[in-house]
Amino acid sequence: MVLTKFGIIKQFILNKIEAGTWPQNAKVPSENELAEQFNVSRMTARRALQELTEQGVLVRTQGAGTFVATFKSQSSLLEINNIADEVSARGHHHRAKQIKLCGVTVDDEIAILLGCHSGSDAFYSEILHLENDVPIQLEQRYVNNKLVPTYLEQDFNEITPHEFLSSVAPLTEASHEIEAVLAPIDLCKHLDIEMHQPCLQVKRRTWARQGVVSVAILTSPGNRYRLGGHIKVSTA
Amino acid sequence: MVLTKFGIIKQFILNKIEAGTWPQNAKVPSENELAEQFNVSRMTARRALQELTEQGVLVRTQGAGTFVATFKSQSSLLEINNIADEVSARGHHHRAKQIKLCGVTVDDEIAILLGCHSGSDAFYSEILHLENDVPIQLEQRYVNNKLVPTYLEQDFNEITPHEFLSSVAPLTEASHEIEAVLAPIDLCKHLDIEMHQPCLQVKRRTWARQGVVSVAILTSPGNRYRLGGHIKVSTA
DNA sequence: AAGTGGTCTAGACCACTTG
DNA sequence: AAGTGGTCTAGACCACTTG
């Protein structure tokens, strides 16, 4: 892995904050100071500060400077994938049932999301998650077969795709879309619900360093599952 | 409002997508093409493409090009409240219609959420948000009458509750619960949907420094609204 | 081989905040 | 007045994908 210059500067800043050297509201070096210190152009130093600001780690004010944010915005969205832990945390029993595990030819939509070509091959898994033996989520997942060549050799009754993927290609990024939908009839059967029952559907794309690892479509009956989150806004 | 050059290019691209000229998966002009067309440097054209990619509007692949994304991220969780800005960002027209604005006696559930006693008084507003005159969200909001005594004097056809509340009691924290539900019949009427239509419902509690400011119940037709988000894990 | 996006430079001018 | 962040330029080299 080749490190970028702005990545090195980001890590430097994160380390200082992590170590407590720069506490909340502390002023961090200016673009010019970082540029000189790391012997890079101002634009490169700027990019490091900019990305940490977008991540909610820093707060910037024109004319005044760049500061460590007061609260770090946290999101439980990152943990959406980890339904096994979530169920366990409620003191309930989690079980996963592998419905499908195979290779597929990807269509246009999935190809773009996975960052591969339409018509190329990928792996596909379909897993039903149960909480105390009640179905709470159907996980349909397309996996990049180049990044995870051993995916089809797993037994997803024993380990969740999320756990397995985390072990071979640690998550670095994720994006989600959350929608309310009516599930198609085959999904209704798996989830043991009526067709008119609203479902929460999360489409999630996950990245590792090497690129897009997988695209998951998570469908849950509206009356058995909800998402929650708590966010603290960085304030001055 | 001073427009930036990259802002003009972003708007140009959004308009093309909006108009259907560039459908999903369509290739958009390259950095060099945009730079020439708008007579700007490549870095400026790049920034427009980059920001739209971060917003989930575009997808980029090195060597291949930039494409219109299949899933459009519509809203990040932090900005759930700010539906007016969100609609404007899509280049659409936002309008709000005040349906109710009154005092109420709170029941047990709302009392707990608002941090007051059951049977005490609070303010209540009901506002319908429209995007290009199509209803996209019904906002039911209970407001702490001690922290915001002037709430009933506002005209929420002119200013959104979020804008008003932000001006008098800046947001410091928020929590959400997201669910898929079937809307009760009166909500269906306001939203102009059939009763069997699944809806995305967000219950949001917001804090200012002084305490809980308000509890909002945001209900949107599943086919007209979705939530999106992108998270980066801190990495080098 | 040509085109694309990813990173980076060394400058510039500006609006803004601070002492 | 000096420093800061915000925007922008006109170049450069690279890794990667496509024909």
Side-chain angles (χ1 to χ4, degrees):
Chain A
M1 177 60 187
V2 180
L3 286 185
T4 56
K5 294 189 179 182
F6 69 81
I8 290 167
I9 300 175
K10 282 176 73 175
Q11 198 53 60
F12 166 79
I13 294 169
L14 285 169
N15 288 343
K16 293 288 189 184
I17 295 172
E18 175 70 16
T21 315
W22 296 343
Q24 289 194 351
N25 300 335
K27 195 167 191 301
V28 311
S30 71
E31 295 177 355
N32 285 319
E33 286 167 343
L34 287 172
E36 190 178 1
Q37 187 174 344
F38 284 90
N39 203 24
V40 297
S41 75
R42 189 192 141 206
M43 286 298 280
T44 300
R46 172 176 177 74
R47 177 160 179 184
L49 292 173
Q50 204 59 41
E51 293 198 0
L52 288 174
T53 301
E54 278 155 24
Q55 287 172 28
V57 175
L58 302 176
V59 175
R60 320 194 73 188
T61 310
Q62 194 181 54
T66 304
F67 307 87
V68 178
T70 308
F71 294 103
K72 253 193 262 180
S73 64
Q74 54 179 22
S75 172
S76 69
L77 271 182
L78 255 182
E79 293 142 24
I80 283 179
N81 249 344
N82 218 341
I83 192 162
D85 287 356
E86 193 185 308
V87 169
S88 302
R90 285 198 280 273
H92 290 177
H93 173 63
H94 171 265
R95 187 161 66 86
K97 198 172 136 191
Q98 176 177 314
I99 295 171
K100 277 188 194 162
L101 182 60
C102 57
V104 290
T105 302
V106 302
D107 62 18
D108 284 351
E109 183 189 354
I110 302 296
I112 289 206
L113 291 171
L114 268 182
C116 64
H117 307 291
S118 176
S120 61
D121 294 329
F123 297 144
Y124 177 75
S125 62
E126 205 169 294
I127 281 114
L128 183 66
H129 295 276
L130 303 101
E131 175 165 0
N132 288 349
D133 289 324
V134 176
I136 52 161
Q137 183 175 95
L138 187 75
E139 170 189 339
Q140 300 171 288
R141 189 182 290 270
Y142 296 85
V143 176
N144 185 322
N145 59 1
K146 296 197 181 64
L147 293 186
V148 194
T150 60
Y151 194 71
L152 295 188
E153 297 161 21
Q154 308 310 310
D155 177 359
F156 292 118
N157 296 290
E158 298 304 321
I159 184 174
T160 65
H162 174 258
E163 283 175 304
F164 172 65
L165 291 174
S166 296
S167 70
V168 296
L171 180 71
T172 59
E173 273 180 66
S175 70
H176 332 81
E177 288 230 331
I178 308 168
E179 250 181 303
V181 300
L182 291 177
I185 191 160
D186 51 326
L187 264 70
C188 290
K189 277 190 196 156
H190 286 309
L191 289 169
D192 192 23
I193 56 174
E194 303 294 326
M195 278 209 64
H196 55 76
Q197 164 93 53
C199 289
L200 200 61
Q201 187 169 80
V202 178
K203 288 181 185 164
R204 180 178 167 105
R205 193 148 60 127
T206 54
W207 283 260
R209 272 184 208 288
Q210 304 85 354
V212 175
V213 173
S214 76
V215 172
I217 301 168
L218 311 171
T219 308
S220 304
N223 59 344
R224 296 187 205 140
Y225 189 75
R226 60 171 70 132
L227 290 170
H230 192 98
I231 289 176
K232 288 184 185 178
V233 179
S234 64
T235 80
Chain B
M1 175 59 186
V2 180
L3 284 184
T4 56
K5 294 190 179 184
F6 69 82
I8 290 167
I9 300 176
K10 282 175 73 174
Q11 198 52 60
F12 167 79
I13 294 169
L14 285 170
N15 287 343
K16 292 289 190 184
I17 295 172
E18 170 67 18
T21 314
W22 297 343
Q24 288 196 352
N25 300 338
K27 194 166 191 301
V28 311
S30 70
E31 295 177 356
N32 285 319
E33 286 167 343
L34 286 173
E36 190 179 0
Q37 187 174 344
F38 285 89
N39 202 25
V40 298
S41 75
R42 189 190 142 208
M43 286 298 280
T44 301
R46 174 177 176 73
R47 177 158 178 187
L49 293 173
Q50 203 59 41
E51 293 198 0
L52 288 174
T53 302
E54 278 156 24
Q55 287 173 29
V57 175
L58 301 176
V59 175
R60 319 193 76 186
T61 311
Q62 194 181 57
T66 304
F67 306 87
V68 178
T70 308
F71 298 166
K72 248 191 270 185
S73 288
Q74 308 276 8
S75 166
S76 90
L77 270 183
L78 257 179
E79 293 149 18
I80 284 180
N81 252 340
N82 215 341
I83 193 163
D85 287 355
E86 192 186 311
V87 168
S88 301
R90 285 197 280 274
H92 289 180
H93 174 64
H94 171 266
R95 189 162 64 88
K97 199 172 135 189
Q98 177 178 312
I99 297 172
K100 277 187 197 163
L101 180 60
C102 55
V104 290
T105 303
V106 303
D107 62 18
D108 284 353
E109 184 192 354
I110 301 297
I112 290 190
L113 293 172
L114 267 184
C116 62
H117 304 294
S118 177
S120 60
D121 293 327
F123 297 143
Y124 177 74
S125 61
E126 206 169 292
I127 281 116
L128 183 66
H129 294 275
L130 303 102
E131 175 165 0
N132 288 348
D133 289 321
V134 176
I136 53 163
Q137 185 174 94
L138 187 76
E139 169 188 341
Q140 301 171 287
R141 188 182 291 269
Y142 296 86
V143 175
N144 185 320
N145 58 0
K146 295 196 182 63
L147 293 186
V148 193
T150 61
Y151 194 71
L152 294 189
E153 299 161 20
Q154 307 310 310
D155 176 359
F156 292 120
N157 295 291
E158 297 304 321
I159 186 175
T160 65
H162 172 258
E163 282 174 303
F164 172 65
L165 291 173
S166 296
S167 70
V168 296
L171 180 74
T172 59
E173 276 181 64
S175 70
H176 334 80
E177 287 215 334
I178 306 168
E179 251 181 301
V181 300
L182 290 178
I185 191 161
D186 51 327
L187 266 68
C188 289
K189 275 188 199 158
H190 286 309
L191 290 168
D192 193 23
I193 56 174
E194 303 293 327
M195 280 211 61
H196 54 75
Q197 163 95 50
C199 289
L200 199 62
Q201 188 169 80
V202 177
K203 286 184 186 158
R204 179 177 169 107
R205 193 148 60 127
T206 53
W207 283 259
R209 274 186 206 290
Q210 303 86 354
V212 175
V213 172
S214 75
V215 173
I217 301 168
L218 312 172
T219 308
S220 303
N223 59 346
R224 295 187 207 141
Y225 191 76
R226 53 170 78 130
L227 291 171
H230 191 101
I231 291 176
K232 286 185 187 175
V233 179
S234 74
T235 91

